Amino acid sequence: MSSDLIKQLEEYSDTVLRKTKDYLPFLSRLCLVATFMEDGVRMWYQWKEQSNYINHHWGCGAFLANMFVIYNLFGQLIPSFLVLARRYVKASVGILFGVVFIQTVGYGILFDVRFLLRNVALLGGLVMLLAESMGEAKTMFAGVPTLGENRPQNYMQLAGRVLICLMFLTLVGEMTFNNVFTEVVRAVELIVGLPLMICVCIGYKTKLASCCLVFWLFFLNIYLNPFWMYSSSRAMHDFVKYDFFQTLSVIGGLLYVVHNGPGGVSLDEHKKNW
């Protein structure tokens, strides 16, 4: 009975994929870079606050503090739009890698394990974008033929899947118990989502698990992170908004897996050779 249900769900997910294949890649990239675009816009609206914080934290002077804001503003918005346009993707991803590193050091995230893990996990989406831009990757050693699973692209897809799973764990791993019903929902999110994320991580029934997680996380994100319901002057607004766009990045990574598959380093791929 369960195998029949799984088969029906796989057929349904394949149908959804066929109907959305034309715009799914763009939607995936949009979700993956959404957190960078939001942060870039935030730099513009909070220029003074961000500059003052960096100057106060590091004592680097107004000029360097403003240069930090400028780099994070243009270094996130321009590469994000280039990624969406599929132009200069490798260079754009490299700049976004630099932004993640600069922010990790600049905001002292190195000493905050939770935010450090989130920043590291954010690299998973960038790795996936880089893997997509590579297309048919070259062999690891020039002139030496290798099997498909040895392509650098496949290892990058594996790394991307693992890091996306890590981000998911950081999103559901914190429970404050300020609202019992909300925390019950978060507990259910973990109970339902964790097995599916493990399937994505190891590459088993990957497209089906990713499809289920996309729908599951989309509705949970709307319910758990409604930042638009908080006044922009409240600190809670920024925290909830941050979680909202981080969850969008997870959804973007899952959409990437739905469209492109798990890659060569996965159980799904190895099952084809059994």
Side-chain angles (χ1 to χ4, degrees):
M1 181 67 179
S2 59
S3 60
D4 291 337
L5 177 61
I6 291 176
K7 186 176 181 180
Q8 290 178 359
L9 289 173
E10 286 181 326
E11 291 175 354
Y12 178 75
S13 64
D14 287 339
T15 301
V16 172
L17 178 58
R18 286 194 299 271
K19 291 183 178 180
T20 60
K21 64 180 181 180
D22 292 334
Y23 53 87
L24 197 59
F26 177 82
L27 185 60
S28 170
R29 293 192 300 272
L30 178 61
C31 289
L32 282 171
V33 300
T35 188
F36 292 104
M37 297 176 71
E38 184 275 330
D39 195 57
V41 172
R42 185 170 61 89
M43 288 293 163
W44 174 260
Y45 285 104
Q46 297 182 2
W47 186 307
K48 185 176 180 180
E49 293 88 339
Q50 297 296 325
S51 176
N52 288 341
Y53 174 82
I54 293 298
N55 188 15
H56 176 76
H57 184 71
W58 291 101
C60 58
F63 176 76
L64 289 178
N66 280 293
M67 290 302 296
F68 176 89
V69 176
I70 290 172
Y71 177 77
N72 281 278
L73 170 62
F74 293 105
Q76 293 186 97
L77 291 180
I78 295 176
S80 295
F81 284 116
L82 288 174
V83 166
L84 293 178
R86 304 187 77 170
R87 303 293 300 272
Y88 308 108
V89 175
K90 291 182 181 179
S92 298
V93 169
I95 294 173
L96 292 174
F97 265 107
V99 168
V100 173
F101 175 77
I102 291 293
Q103 289 194 356
T104 300
V105 176
Y107 290 121
I109 296 175
L110 284 169
F111 307 104
D112 188 318
V113 176
R114 175 172 171 258
F115 283 99
L116 176 61
L117 288 176
R118 284 200 179 189
N119 265 26
V120 172
L122 193 59
L123 299 179
L126 297 179
V127 170
M128 286 182 167
L129 289 171
L130 192 57
E132 182 186 34
S133 73
M134 291 176 65
E136 287 297 323
K138 298 179 180 180
T139 58
M140 282 185 163
F141 303 99
V144 179
T146 60
L147 297 176
E149 62 266 27
N150 287 329
R151 292 173 181 159
Q153 182 188 20
N154 291 326
Y155 288 105
M156 292 172 68
Q157 287 175 299
L158 172 62
R161 296 200 316 269
V162 172
L163 290 173
I164 287 295
C165 293
L166 176 62
M167 182 180 289
F168 171 80
L169 292 175
T170 64
L171 287 168
V172 301
E174 182 178 357
M175 297 188 181
T176 61
F177 294 97
N178 291 330
N179 183 306
V180 176
F181 181 74
T182 298
E183 299 310 329
V184 169
V185 173
R186 287 191 178 276
V188 173
E189 178 186 13
L190 180 61
I191 293 170
V192 174
L194 186 57
L196 293 173
M197 269 297 178
I198 292 175
C199 288
V200 172
C201 189
I202 65 178
Y204 177 71
K205 301 290 184 183
T206 318
K207 289 189 177 182
L208 175 60
S210 297
C211 276
C212 293
L213 278 168
V214 165
F215 288 107
W216 177 249
L217 290 178
F218 175 78
F219 290 110
L220 282 181
N221 199 28
I222 298 297
Y223 173 74
L224 293 174
N225 301 312
F227 64 89
W228 52 88
M229 296 181 63
Y230 296 89
S231 170
S232 58
S233 60
R234 293 181 58 187
M236 194 65 180
H237 175 272
D238 287 339
F239 283 115
V240 175
K241 190 176 183 181
Y242 177 74
D243 280 352
F244 180 88
F245 282 96
Q246 291 274 296
T247 305
L248 273 188
S249 293
V250 175
I251 292 174
L254 293 170
L255 288 174
Y256 171 91
V257 175
V258 170
H259 182 262
N260 296 287
V265 187
S266 63
L267 288 181
D268 286 342
E269 187 67 22
H270 285 286
K271 281 172 60 181
K272 297 177 182 178
N273 301 322
W274 291 352

